[in-house]
Structures are given as C-alpha cells and as structure tokens.
C-alpha cells in the first residue's frame, strides 16, 4: 500500500505551505513523473461528505466530520494527499466547504479563491452536492460556478477541465432525469456569463467536460455506497489517457514545476488578479527550466571526469578532448531535455540555449588552454623537425615543407579538440602559430645567414690581411695596384662562394644584393683596417727599411765599412726608400685616382736638403704645412702632411746615430791600416834588400834561423793578439807589446823545453793511440797545441775588419 502523505497546502488564513509542499513532492517523487500525473480536487457545501468521499475513493486519510459531535467545519483551507494505488500518480486536494457558518454569509472570498485555485491547478474537479439540492440556486453552488466561469472566460487560451458532478444520497429519481437538469443549469450559467469578444461563440465544451455520477447514501446504504465508489475509482485509473476522465486536458504544467506553479496561482488569486494561464505557464516554465539548467551546470561542474580534463589541460595537451567533452555536454543537455520536455517549448528551447551557453563558457577556458598547449607543442615539434630537415635539404625548402606539415598537424589537432556543440574559431590561434613559426624561421635564417656571411668574411679576411700587410711592407709603386688587384680577385671569389651558398635560402634580389655588397664592403674594410694598422707603425717600418738598406748590401749581406763605401749615397738611397714607404702609407688608394703625395714628400723631405736646390718657391712655401692631401678625401687619409713632416723629423733623428756610427767605423778602419809601410817603402826595401836575399840563397843556415824566428814571431803574434792591440792605436800597441815581449818569449821557450823532456811512449800506448777515434786524437792534439797556433789561423792577415753596429 502506498502512503498518501497528506499535508495542508493552504491554511484557513490563506497562507501557502511552501516547505510542506516541497517535502510532499520529495516524498511522492513527483518530480520524476513529468506530465504523467493528474490533480483531482473536490468542492461543495460544508459537511456534505467531501472528505469521506475522497478517503473511500482514493484511499486518503483526510479528516472526516464526527456526526456524534454535530455538524461543523471539518476541513480548513486546502489539504493535499496522494491517491493510493492509482496510475498515473494522482494528487487529491480537499477544499474547505462552501456556505459554512464559521465564515459567515459575507465572507465568501476564500470560497471563491479556493474554487479558482482548484480549477486552475486541477485536471478533474469533483462538485459534491446533495440530490435534493438540484434545482436550487445557492445550495447547488450556482453563484460560485458563475464567478468561476466568468474568470475562466478571461483566460488567453482554454484549459479544458473535467467537471464531475457527484450527486450524493441519490433518491428514487432516476439519474437519467437528474443529469439533464444539471446540464441545463450549467449551460444557463455559461450562457449568462459575460464573455470576451474572442469567446463570444465559444461553446461550454471548449472549456469544460461536464459529467455526472450519483452515489447512494453512505449512512443508509454503506455497502452499496462502497460498491459505487469502487466503480467510480476505476474511472480514475489512467484518467489522463485518451478517453479517460481528463483525456482532453491542455496546458499541463510538468510535475517538477507543480510546486512553483501552485504558489504563483495562489499568489495571483490572493492579489485579486485575473488568472492568466498562458503567462503563468511561461513563468513556471521559465523558473523551472532555469532551475533545471542551474542543476545541470552544477552537475557538470562537479562531474569527476570533467574535473580531470580541466586539471589535465592546464599542464599539457589532451588527445580526444573534443570527443569526450562533447559526450559530457551531450549527456548534460539530454538530461535537461528529459526533465524540461513538458514545459513550454519556447521557454524550454531558450533556457536550453542558455544552459548550453553556460556550459560552453565553463568549457571555453579549458579549450583555450588546450589550444595553447597544442600551439606550443606544434611549435616545439616544428623547431626540432626543422633543425633536422636543414641537415638534409636547403633552407627555403625545409622551411616550406616543415611549415606546411605542422600547420596540417595543428589542423588535425584542432579537429580532435573541436566540440560538437559549438564551432569555435581557431583561426586566431593558427595565425599566432604561423607568426611564431615565421618568427622562428626568420631567426634561424638570420643566424644561418650570419654564419655563412661570417664564414666568407673570415675567409676574405684571411685571404687579404697577411698579403696586404706584406704588400704594404714592401711599399713600392706597385703596392696599391697590387692591393687593388688582390682585393678584386679575393672579393670576387668570396662573392661567388657566398652567392652560391645563399641560393638555398631563396632570398629576394634586394636582400641578396645587400649581403653581397656587405661582403664587398667587408673586404675593403679589411684592407683599410690593415692600412690604418700599418700606418700606426709607419715610423718603425721606415727605420727597419732604412736599417736594412743602409746596413746590408745588394746581396743582403752585412756591410763592412772598409772606407771604400759611399755612405752619403747609401744614406740617400735608404732615406728615399723610407720616404716611399711613408708616401705609400699616407693614404688609402683603393681607387685608381692619381695623387701627388710621393712627389710632394720627395720635394719637401728629400730634395729640400740638396745644396743645389735654388727654387725660391720651394724655400718660401712648405708643401707639408697642411692637414690634407690634394685630391685625397679626408676619409682616405691615413697620415696628414703635417704628421708626415713630424714623422720624417723623428725618423731622421733616430737614424742619424746609425749613419754617424758607420762614418766612425770607416775612419777607424782607415786608422787601423796605417801601421803598414807605404808602398814606396816596400819597393825600396825590395830593391835595396836584393843583396841580402842572395846571401840567404847562398847560405841555407840563415834560412833555418829565419824559419825559427818566424815560428817564434808567429807564436808571439798569436799569444799577444797584436791585431787587437793595434785597434787601440799604434803607440799604445807598441807600449803594450814591449811589456808583454819578454814574458811571452819565456813562456814559449818553457813550453818547448817541456815538450823535449817527455819520455817516448810505449808501443802499447802508441797502439792505443792509433786505435782511438780520429776525432778524439784530433781533439787531443788540438788541446795540446798552444794558443799561438790557433790564434795565428783565425787572425786575419790584412788587419781587423770593422762593421756597422747594426751588422754586428
């Protein structure tokens, strides 16, 4: 047996029991019924057995009147209960009786309000009346029905309600005779009610389905009464099905909105407003659909699977996101459709769109985060693939292929992330990815081009730096033409190489031309930089060149200043070469424009010092008293005329000592050679000594004596280092030799005596000496030879030689 869960819906003061109705709906699970439910109410005079009839008919437990305590008001307000064991779910309302003495004759407001409420919310209205009241005015509730009909006529659209007249305590008068009277009375009431223009011709059957049933007396014929009630109960089974008691009903509020709808009905009635069912229906649908929508939003937010996806997309891309989220959204919307299917279609659709919009707003941040991860992941994969592709193919082809490939992958990822319920535009994310890819390609292109350019610049620098330095060091008339030729050749080779290297980049003509021009400028800058560097060391270079030419002969051998060299001519030649070096380094001559720097320097520095120079214009004006060269741009000038003058002055001052030393060496050499007799003396000695020569030939003993004297003299020469002594002058040499003569002679004689006193070596010793290596014996013999012999070999017989300090 089902419980009836009876509760007071509206109390006697007209206060609606909201919490009680909500509790009742939960207990009977009314919200699950949709449109499959029916509302039955009963109205009639006080103490007419309404509650008794309902209890027997529907198995409810409404309070019944106690006949032993007298007739009085039993039901106050409106009570609600659930019919037991009747399908579909049937709600039963027991209304307070009319025409009660407790409220009085004039207090009929609540009667009208409850009657209007019953007609507004009920599908079937039972009108309980006594059999003997048929044909009467008040007892038959005709004024009340007239008022209700009049209000019902003001509805925008008919809401068909079944009016079931229950005749109680039926007398012997057949029902066939009573029913026409009731129908006639109802029709008269309908005809007498003022109707709106829209319903002037609307028949009663459009609004109401009138049916009549008669029941025997409960007190006198209880068993018959119960049997008749049981038969009537059968008519309430499937009452909303076609052909049932309420089979023609219209404008039904879904069960989940019954509570709100009832509250609004009662509110409108209490405010004495006309009942506007269509507006009410829309209002109920609006409120209820919003509630359902909010419930679905809350349910979706609390869904564990959604929360996992929402958390996952914050950290990485989730494959299958679109399909799974679409499934969750579809399930949520389907649940909404199932719960809101019975509400007004327009409101339901509108609220469904709002629900869908709210759900999509919840999903959108996760979707945007997912697309961000997809863009980042695609970009990183592109970078990695692009780097590998560069190792196999050209830059432009690799960039084009990789870009197309990964944009297609992004499109596939976007399709995988797409949500069926909405078509979100991913063009902005794709455009951002394109910009990122293009920026990376541009960055890599710039890096690669920079590396390629740096490679060829380094090659060009290596090809130019040392050769240019060598050419500048040589400083001849062909120096700058040779540099120009070298620059042109090496730059052309580098440009051809660079042009071939950048072909794979597919650069536009302007960019490629700019790179080639930059390489050409680099070559010129290398030459200019090296020229500036060498110009900073020009004084050192000039001194080196002067020293080389002054101190070495044509065969690059050190000069020996014997007194026969023309130091003045050598000095002039060396200074002219240094001046040529200065003129070469004075300006950068990468163009073939002629200049007169060399002539100017020669005229001002070299020729100005000649004794025969008599040109007064040269003497009166200084061509180097200027800060610029004629026909030479300032940016091409390395050494200004004034700087050249100062450098030349410093150069002459620093090389003057070398010239002075050479002159001094010549004079010293001449003095050293003066100790020999003059040639005429040698000739006289030869002529006058002819007799002595013949005497020596006739007496060989003299030759032996002369040979011994020669050996002693030779040894004395080596021991005394006579050549070195005469370097200090003739007289000092004679004095020094006189002091050394006697000790040197004694030392020589002592050594000769020591050699004569040594015993002869044994044969074994001689054999060992013969077996010794030649080098050892030579060294030994060499060690035994006196310094006199070695000195005599190494000493020049023509006297000491003098060389310049640079040569030494």
């Amino acid at each position: 047996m089902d419980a009836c869960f009876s509760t007071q819906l509206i109390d006697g003061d007209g206060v609606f029991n909201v919490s009680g109705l909500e509790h009742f709906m939960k207990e009977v699970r009314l919200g699950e019924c949709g449109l499959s439910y029916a509302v039955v109410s009963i109205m009639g005079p006080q103490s007419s057995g309404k509650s008794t009839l309902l209890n027997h008919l529907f198995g409810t437990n409404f309070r019944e009147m106690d006949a032993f305590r007298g007739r009085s008001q039993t039901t106050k307000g409106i009570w609600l209960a659930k019919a037991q064991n009747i399908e579909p779910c049937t709600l039963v309302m027991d209304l307070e009786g009319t025409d009660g003495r407790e409220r009085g004759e004039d207090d009929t407001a609540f009667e009208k309000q409850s009657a209007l409420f019953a007609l507004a919310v009920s599908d079937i209205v039972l009108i309980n009346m006594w059999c003997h009241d048929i044909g009467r005015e008040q007892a038959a509730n005709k004024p009340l029905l007239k008022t209700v009909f009049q209000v019902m006529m003001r509805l925008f659209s008919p809401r068909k309600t079944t009016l079931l007249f229950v005749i109680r305590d039926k007398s012997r008068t057949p029902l066939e005779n009573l029913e026409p009277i009731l129908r006639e009375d109802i029709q008269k009431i309908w005809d007498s009610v003022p109707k709106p223009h829209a319903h002037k011709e609307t028949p009663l059957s459009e609004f109401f389905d009138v049916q009549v049933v008669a029941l025997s007396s409960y007190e006198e014929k209880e068993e018959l009464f119960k049997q008749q009630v049981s038969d009537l109960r059968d008519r309430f089974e499937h009452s909303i099905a076609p052909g049932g008691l309420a089979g023609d009903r219209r404008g039904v509020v879904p069960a989940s909105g019954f509570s709100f709808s009832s509250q609004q009905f009662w509110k409108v009635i209490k405010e004495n407003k006309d009942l506007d069912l269509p507006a009410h229906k829309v209002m109920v649908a609006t409120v209820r659909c919003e509630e359902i929508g909010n419930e679905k939003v809350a349910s979706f937010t609390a869904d564990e699977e959604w929360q996992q996806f929402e958390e996952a997309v914050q950290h990485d891309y989730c494959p299958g996101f679109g399909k799974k989220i679409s499934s969750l959204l579809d399930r949520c919307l389907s649940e909404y459709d199932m719960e809101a299917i019975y509400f007004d279609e327009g409101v339901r659709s509108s609220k469904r769109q709002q629900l869908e919009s709210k759900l999509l707003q919840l999903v959108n941040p996760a979707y945007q985060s997912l697309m961000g991860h997809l863009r980042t992941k695609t970009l990183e994969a592109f970078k990695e693939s692009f780097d590998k592709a560069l190792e196999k193919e050209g830059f432009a082809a690799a960039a084009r292929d990789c870009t197309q490939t990964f944009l297609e992958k992004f499109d596939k990822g976007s399709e995988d992330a797409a949500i069926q319920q909405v078509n979100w535009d991913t063009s902005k994310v794709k455009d951002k990815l394109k910009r990122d890819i293009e920026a990376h390609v541009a960055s890599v292109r710039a890096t690669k081009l920079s590396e390629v350019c740096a490679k060829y610049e380094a090659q060009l620098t290596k090809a130019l730096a040392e050769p240019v330095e060598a050419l500048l060091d040589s400083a001849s008339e062909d120096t700058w033409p040779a540099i120009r030729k070298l620059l042109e050749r090496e730059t052309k080779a580098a440009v051809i190489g660079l042009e071939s290297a950048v072909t794979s980049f597919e650069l536009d003509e302007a960019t490629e031309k700019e790179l080639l021009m930059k390489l050409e400028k680099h070559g010129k800058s290398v030459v200019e930089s090296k020229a500036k560097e060498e110009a900073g060391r020009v004084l050192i270079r000039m001194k080196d060149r002067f020293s080389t030419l002054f101190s070495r002969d044509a065969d690059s051998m050190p000069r020996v200043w014997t007194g026969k060299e023309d130091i003045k001519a050598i000095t002039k030649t060396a200074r002219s070469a240094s001046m040529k070096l200065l003129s070469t380094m004075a300006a950068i001559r990468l163009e073939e424009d002629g200049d007169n720097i060399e002539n100017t320097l020669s005229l001002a520095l070299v020729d100005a010092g000649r004794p025969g120079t008599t040109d007064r214009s040269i003497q009166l004006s200084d061509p180097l008293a200027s800060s610029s060269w004629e026909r030479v741009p300032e940016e091409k000038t390395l050494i200004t005329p004034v700087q050249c003058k100062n450098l030349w002055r410093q150069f002459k001052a620093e090389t003057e000592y070398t010239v002075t030393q050479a002159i001094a060496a010549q004079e010293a050499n001449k003095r050293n050679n003066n100790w020999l007799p003059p040639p005429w003396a040698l000739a006289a000695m030869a002529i006058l000594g002819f007799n002595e020569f013949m005497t020596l030939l006739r007496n060989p003993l003299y030759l032996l004596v002369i040979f011994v004297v020669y050996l002693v003299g030779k040894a004395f020469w080596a021991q005394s280092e006579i050549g070195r002594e005469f370097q200090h002058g003739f007289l000092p040499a004679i004095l020094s030799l006189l002091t050394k003569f006697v000790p040197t002679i004694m030392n020589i004689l002592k050594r000769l005596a020591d050699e004569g006193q040594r015993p002869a070596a044994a044969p074994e010793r001689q054999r060992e000496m013969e077996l010794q290596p030649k080098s050892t014996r030579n060294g030994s013999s060499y060690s035994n030879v006196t310094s006199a012999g070695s000195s005599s070999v190494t000493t020049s017989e023509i006297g000491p030689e003098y060389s310049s300090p640079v040569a030494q």
Side-chain angles (χ1 to χ4, degrees):
M1 296 294 291
D2 294 337
C4 60
F5 303 107
S6 61
T7 184
Q8 189 176 31
L9 183 61
I10 301 173
D11 63 14
D13 296 327
V15 178
F16 197 95
N17 186 8
V18 178
S19 60
L21 178 58
E22 294 291 340
H23 179 72
F24 172 82
M25 290 182 62
K26 290 181 181 178
E27 292 292 339
V28 302
R29 299 182 180 178
L30 184 62
E32 301 175 3
C33 296
L35 296 180
S36 183
Y37 77 103
V39 180
V40 179
S41 60
I42 189 169
M43 56 189 295
Q46 180 176 301
S47 302
S48 60
K50 300 188 298 300
S51 300
T52 302
L53 175 60
L54 294 177
N55 290 338
H56 284 81
L57 184 60
F58 298 108
T60 55
N61 58 357
F62 294 123
R63 182 183 176 190
E64 300 179 5
M65 183 189 69
D66 188 356
F68 293 100
R69 293 186 178 181
R71 304 181 68 84
S72 61
Q73 187 182 45
T74 304
T75 302
K76 294 183 179 180
I78 300 175
W79 286 74
L80 178 67
K82 178 181 179 296
Q84 297 187 28
N85 303 321
I86 292 181
E87 291 295 335
C89 178
T90 302
L91 305 182
V92 182
M93 290 195 302
D94 187 9
L95 275 65
E96 181 180 319
T98 62
D99 197 17
R101 68 177 181 85
E102 284 79 7
R103 291 192 179 272
E105 182 179 356
D106 298 326
D107 189 8
T108 59
F110 187 80
E111 295 177 3
K112 295 177 181 180
Q113 291 171 352
S114 60
L116 287 173
F117 180 76
L119 287 172
V121 301
S122 302
D123 302 305
I124 304 170
V125 178
L126 303 178
I127 301 177
N128 194 54
M129 59 187 302
W130 299 108
C131 181
H132 52 75
D133 287 334
I134 297 176
R136 296 178 181 176
E137 186 71 19
Q138 297 291 337
N141 290 324
K142 288 182 180 181
L144 179 60
L145 288 176
K146 184 176 181 179
T147 302
V148 170
F149 286 171
Q150 185 175 352
V151 174
M152 295 297 289
M153 286 301 298
R154 297 177 183 176
L155 300 177
F156 289 105
S157 63
R159 183 182 187 276
K160 197 166 186 178
T161 304
T162 300
L163 297 179
L164 180 57
F165 287 86
V166 181
I167 302 174
R168 303 292 297 276
D169 294 350
K170 177 181 173 295
S171 63
R172 295 179 179 179
T173 305
L175 180 60
E176 293 80 5
N177 295 335
L178 296 175
E179 184 174 352
I181 297 174
L182 284 174
R183 290 185 180 275
E184 184 180 354
D185 291 341
I186 295 299
Q187 187 64 47
K188 287 180 180 180
I189 295 172
W190 178 259
D191 294 337
S192 64
V193 171
K195 302 178 182 65
H197 180 73
H199 297 292
K200 285 290 185 182
E201 304 299 330
T202 303
L204 175 65
S205 59
E206 186 70 22
F207 284 87
F208 300 101
D209 180 16
V210 179
Q211 296 189 28
V212 181
V213 66
L215 299 176
S216 299
S217 174
Y218 173 67
E219 295 179 355
E220 297 177 0
K221 301 176 182 180
E222 183 176 356
E223 294 299 327
L224 180 59
F225 173 82
K226 292 180 178 180
Q227 181 60 42
Q228 293 173 344
V229 169
S230 178
D231 295 339
L232 180 59
R233 175 186 176 87
D234 293 339
R235 297 179 64 182
F236 284 92
E237 288 286 346
H238 306 293
S239 58
I240 61 174
L245 284 176
D248 297 334
R249 66 178 183 168
R250 291 190 294 269
V252 183
V253 175
S256 61
F258 178 78
S259 174
F260 180 76
S261 176
S262 301
Q263 296 175 47
Q264 295 301 316
F265 273 129
W266 185 248
K267 181 179 179 182
V268 172
I269 293 171
K270 287 288 288 183
E271 293 175 355
N272 295 321
K273 295 182 179 179
D274 294 339
L275 198 58
D276 187 352
L277 282 181
H280 178 78
K281 179 180 177 181
V282 171
M283 178 180 61
V284 173
T286 300
V287 174
R288 184 57 189 149
C289 288
E290 284 184 355
E291 292 178 351
I292 296 174
N294 293 334
E295 292 174 0
K296 297 310 167 189
V297 171
S299 174
F300 181 85
T301 305
D303 187 271
E304 184 177 354
E305 189 173 3
W306 157 247
Q307 291 178 351
Q308 291 177 354
F309 268 104
E310 187 179 25
E311 177 68 21
V313 297
Q314 300 300 323
H315 303 92
D316 197 4
Y317 175 79
C318 298
F321 175 86
K323 184 177 180 180
K324 294 179 181 179
I325 296 301
S326 297
S327 176
L328 292 176
L329 293 175
D330 186 63
R331 184 178 67 187
C332 187
L333 294 173
S334 299
E335 292 176 355
Y336 169 85
D337 292 336
M338 291 177 61
E339 294 187 28
I341 189 172
Y342 302 114
F343 290 99
D344 181 80
E345 183 178 0
V347 175
R348 183 177 71 243
S349 300
S350 175
K351 296 303 177 182
R352 189 183 193 278
Q353 292 178 358
Q354 293 182 10
L355 171 61
E356 187 174 355
S357 177
K358 289 182 180 179
L359 293 175
L360 293 176
Q361 288 178 2
L362 287 174
V363 173
N364 185 261
Y367 177 81
Q368 296 298 334
S369 179
L370 181 76
M371 294 305 296
H373 290 307
L374 176 61
R375 179 183 62 80
T376 304
K377 187 175 182 181
T378 304
L379 180 61
E380 294 300 325
F382 168 82
K383 292 179 180 179
E384 182 177 354
S385 177
F386 183 54
D387 292 340
K388 293 180 180 179
L390 289 177
E391 300 175 357
K392 302 178 181 178
E393 53 184 326
F395 184 90
R400 185 167 49 251
D401 295 342
C402 289
T403 300
Q404 182 178 357
T405 299
F406 283 92
L407 287 179
E408 290 176 356
K409 288 186 178 181
F410 177 81
D411 291 336
K412 292 181 181 179
S414 299
E415 293 176 2
D416 180 70
I419 298 174
Q420 297 176 359
Q421 288 77 9
V422 65
N423 185 21
W424 277 324
D425 185 16
T426 60
S427 60
K428 292 184 178 179
V429 183
K430 186 175 182 179
D431 291 342
K432 179 66 168 61
L433 175 61
K434 285 182 180 179
R435 292 194 297 271
D436 292 341
I437 289 176
E438 290 173 357
H440 178 71
V441 170
S443 175
V444 174
R445 180 190 291 111
T447 302
K448 295 293 183 182
L449 285 176
S450 177
E451 292 176 356
V452 172
C453 292
K455 173 185 175 182
Y456 283 94
E457 286 178 359
Q459 291 181 1
L460 188 57
T461 301
K462 184 177 181 181
L464 291 175
E466 293 183 358
V468 168
E469 183 177 355
L471 289 172
L472 291 174
D473 188 36
S474 65
S476 63
E477 294 180 355
D478 297 332
T479 295
W480 283 108
I483 290 175
R484 287 196 295 269
K485 186 176 180 180
L486 173 68
L487 175 62
E488 181 181 359
R489 184 180 69 250
E490 297 298 336
T491 301
K492 184 177 180 181
V495 165
I496 293 174
L498 178 61
E499 189 174 10
S500 175
V502 300
T503 303
S504 63
F505 289 88
E506 297 182 6
L507 301 175
D508 57 272
E509 185 177 355
T511 303
E512 184 174 350
K513 185 177 180 181
E514 182 181 355
L515 292 177
L516 299 179
M517 290 181 63
K518 182 180 178 182
L519 183 60
E520 293 177 357
K521 291 181 179 178
H522 176 75
K524 291 182 179 180
S525 67
V526 170
V527 174
E528 293 175 356
S529 176
K530 185 55 66 176
K532 291 178 182 179
E533 181 181 343
E534 293 300 316
R537 298 198 295 261
V538 66
L539 182 60
I540 299 175
R541 297 292 189 187
M542 291 169 64
K543 290 190 295 183
D544 290 345
R545 173 165 292 193
F546 177 84
S547 297
T548 300
L549 296 178
F550 185 80
S551 302
R552 294 182 179 273
D553 57 18
D555 297 329
S556 298
M557 297 298 292
R559 292 184 187 275
V560 178
W561 303 108
T562 61
K564 299 178 182 179
E565 296 80 13
D566 187 355
I567 294 180
K568 183 177 182 181
I570 295 173
T571 302
K572 181 181 178 181
T573 302
R575 286 180 176 175
S576 296
S578 299
M579 185 276 298
K580 187 176 289 293
L581 174 63
L582 180 61
S583 67
T584 302
M585 300 301 302
I588 299 173
R589 301 177 179 88
L590 294 180
E591 288 76 22
E592 295 184 3
D593 299 337
D595 58 65
N596 58 353
I597 295 178
E598 184 175 355
N599 294 333
T600 303
L601 289 177
S602 177
L603 184 65
L605 301 179
V606 179
D607 296 340
R610 291 182 180 180
T613 303
T614 59
D615 193 344
R616 295 184 58 83
S617 62
I618 297 177
Q619 295 177 356
L620 295 177
S621 62
D622 186 358
L624 299 183
S626 175
S627 61
S628 61
W629 298 103
E630 184 179 357
R631 293 183 296 174
V632 177
E634 182 179 355
E635 62 273 9
K636 299 297 182 181
T637 301
L638 297 177
I639 307 173
T640 64
V642 174
Q643 291 173 338
C644 287
K645 185 175 181 181
N646 294 333
L647 285 171
W648 187 258
R649 184 184 299 114
Q650 186 177 356
F651 164 76
K652 288 184 67 177
E654 294 183 8
T655 58
E656 193 69 29
Y657 177 75
T658 302
V659 177
T660 304
Q661 287 292 98
I663 295 173
Q666 264 192 348
E667 293 177 354
N669 190 30
K670 291 177 180 180
R671 287 195 303 270
N672 291 337
N673 292 331
N674 287 338
W675 66 275
L676 293 175
W680 62 266
L682 294 176
M685 291 174 63
I687 294 172
L688 297 177
F690 178 77
N691 295 328
E692 286 78 5
F693 179 71
M694 294 303 294
T695 301
L696 291 175
L697 291 177
R698 293 189 185 98
N699 193 353
L701 184 60
Y702 290 150
L703 291 176
L704 179 61
V705 173
I706 293 172
F707 180 71
V708 172
V709 172
Y710 169 75
L711 289 178
V712 173
K714 184 73 173 180
F716 179 77
W717 181 286
Q719 287 286 332
S720 302
E721 296 180 350
I722 296 176
R724 182 177 298 177
E725 293 292 342
F726 275 96
Q727 288 181 359
H728 303 290
F730 179 78
L731 184 60
I734 293 299
L735 295 176
S736 177
L737 290 175
L738 289 176
T739 58
K740 294 180 180 180
F741 180 77
V742 176
T744 302
I745 294 299
M746 294 301 295
N747 186 26
I748 292 172
L749 294 176
K750 183 179 179 180
R751 288 187 178 183
L752 290 175
D754 292 340
E755 287 291 332
Q757 293 177 1
R758 287 184 181 179
E764 292 82 2
R765 178 61 179 169
Q766 293 179 356
R767 187 177 302 171
E768 288 178 1
M769 292 294 291
E770 291 176 355
L771 293 176
Q772 285 180 356
K774 183 178 180 180
S775 59
T776 306
R777 287 185 281 115
N778 292 340
S780 176
S781 60
Y782 177 79
S783 63
N784 293 327
V785 177
T786 61
S787 59
S790 61
S791 300
S792 64
V793 174
T794 57
T795 304
S796 175
E797 298 198 11
I798 62 174
E801 296 181 352
Y802 293 89
S803 62
S804 67
V806 175
Q808 290 177 355

